[in-house]
Amino acid sequence: MSKSANLPDAIKQTAKAPPLFSLWEALALLVGMVFAFFGSQLLGIYIAGKLLLPSTKSQTAADLFYFASGDGTIVSSSIVFSGVFLSALIAPIIRLKGAQVSDYLALKSFSLKVAIGSFGLLLLFMIGSQALTYWLDKSPSLFVDPLYASVSSVWLLIIAMVVIAPIYEELLFRGIIWSALKEQFAIKFDKRGLSKAEGLAQSEAHGALMASLITSLVFAIMHLQYGLYEISTIVVLAFIFCYARYKSGSLLLPIALHICNNGLAMWQYLAQAA
């Protein structure tokens, strides 16, 4: 039996197809999606603010953003808007390049063994970060206080932050951006001295590692509501999501991990706020 027969299906399928995006397209995609991420949130806040804020608080754009950014109902509505907008943006981009959305984003089932290992890794991270947070006397959820106090329904906040945000953030960072970058770094890997099977495996691993490093750093830096300590922990968390994406060959697993992480964080916050 050849070594290539032992490769995971995700690696063999990826190796057969050329990169969907060119190098410059991948870089443009990274920058464009970052702008789309922030732009959709700002647009969502502006629209929700116009609809929900009293006219006395939204006379100018500056007034609107000042009052709306701390309103739980408006921020939650903007998260839902961003989720719909970005999901609707990603799919046509992939289709225009001639690929199937479900295939390119790896929206498929995953191994139970890999899932158990990934959730175990997430649990270890949660325990370690909680211990470090307590030791350093940090309060990473302070930004939620004004949102929780002003939201019209706590369930709106929960759905937005625990379900909607993880889904569209994973579609963006461990989905289209991660896939585009992985392809670029995989084809640049030097395979000399390796068999075809070893070359394929090493290329995929190298591409996944580089894509994971870049997307994890960008993902963490974009969480501007946090301080330096919190951003550093988000880098580690994002890398866990990337690891799950690579090992499982499925985007659904990091989505599940992200929802679980946000859900436990929200549960802890609500338990303390009660």
Side-chain angles (χ1 to χ4, degrees):
M1 181 181 292
S2 66
K3 291 184 179 180
S4 61
N6 295 323
L7 290 174
D9 289 340
I11 293 180
K12 289 188 286 186
Q13 291 170 2
T14 303
K16 293 177 182 178
L20 191 64
F21 299 96
S22 69
L23 174 60
W24 291 110
E25 286 174 336
L27 294 175
L29 185 69
L30 172 61
V31 175
M33 283 298 172
V34 168
F35 275 102
F37 180 87
F38 284 119
S40 63
Q41 289 185 338
L42 291 175
L43 182 59
I45 288 176
Y46 182 83
I47 294 173
K50 278 293 187 182
L51 294 174
L52 301 175
L53 279 180
S55 59
T56 55
K57 292 186 175 181
S58 59
Q59 292 180 350
T60 67
D63 291 336
L64 187 149
F65 284 112
Y66 175 79
F67 290 106
S69 60
D71 187 290
T73 302
I74 293 175
V75 171
S76 298
S77 300
S78 75
I79 291 174
V80 175
F81 175 84
S82 292
V84 174
F85 178 85
L86 291 172
S87 299
L89 179 64
I90 290 171
I93 291 175
I94 296 173
R95 290 196 190 100
L96 284 173
K97 296 297 293 183
Q100 292 291 326
V101 175
S102 58
D103 292 339
Y104 194 71
L105 296 180
L107 301 176
K108 58 186 179 180
S109 60
F110 47 82
S111 162
L112 179 60
K113 179 180 179 180
V114 174
I116 292 174
S118 297
F119 273 100
L121 191 61
L122 178 63
L123 180 61
L124 290 175
F125 165 80
M126 289 178 171
I127 294 172
S129 63
Q130 282 293 315
L132 188 59
T133 298
Y134 177 80
W135 181 60
L136 295 175
D137 194 24
K138 296 288 184 177
S139 300
S141 299
L142 280 177
F143 79 97
V144 182
D145 288 343
L147 305 181
Y148 175 72
S150 58
V151 72
S152 59
S153 170
V154 69
W155 283 108
L156 175 61
L157 188 65
I158 292 173
I159 291 172
M161 298 186 71
V162 174
V163 180
I164 303 298
I167 290 175
Y168 78 75
E169 287 178 354
E170 291 307 310
L171 286 172
L172 196 64
F173 291 98
R174 262 64 63 181
I176 188 170
I177 296 176
W178 190 89
S179 298
L181 292 176
K182 180 181 74 71
E183 291 176 335
Q184 297 303 318
F185 286 104
I187 62 176
K188 297 291 188 292
F189 183 76
D190 186 358
K191 310 178 190 67
R192 287 176 297 180
L194 300 174
S195 67
K196 183 177 180 180
E198 291 170 337
L200 290 176
Q202 291 294 329
S203 291
E204 288 295 305
H206 180 262
L209 176 61
M210 296 305 298
S212 298
L213 287 172
I214 294 172
T215 56
S216 296
L217 288 172
V218 174
F219 178 74
I221 292 171
M222 289 175 65
H223 284 73
L224 301 177
Q225 69 269 35
Y226 295 109
L228 182 60
Y229 163 73
E230 289 81 10
I231 288 177
S232 65
T233 62
I234 292 175
V235 172
V236 179
L237 180 63
F239 210 79
I240 292 174
F241 296 155
C242 291
Y243 173 81
R245 168 69 179 84
Y246 171 66
K247 292 295 289 185
S248 68
S250 171
L251 185 61
L252 298 182
L253 181 54
I255 288 176
L257 292 173
H258 201 153
I259 290 175
C260 179
N261 176 78
N262 286 22
L264 288 175
M266 180 62 73
W267 172 79
Q268 183 182 29
Y269 175 84
L270 294 176
Q272 293 174 347

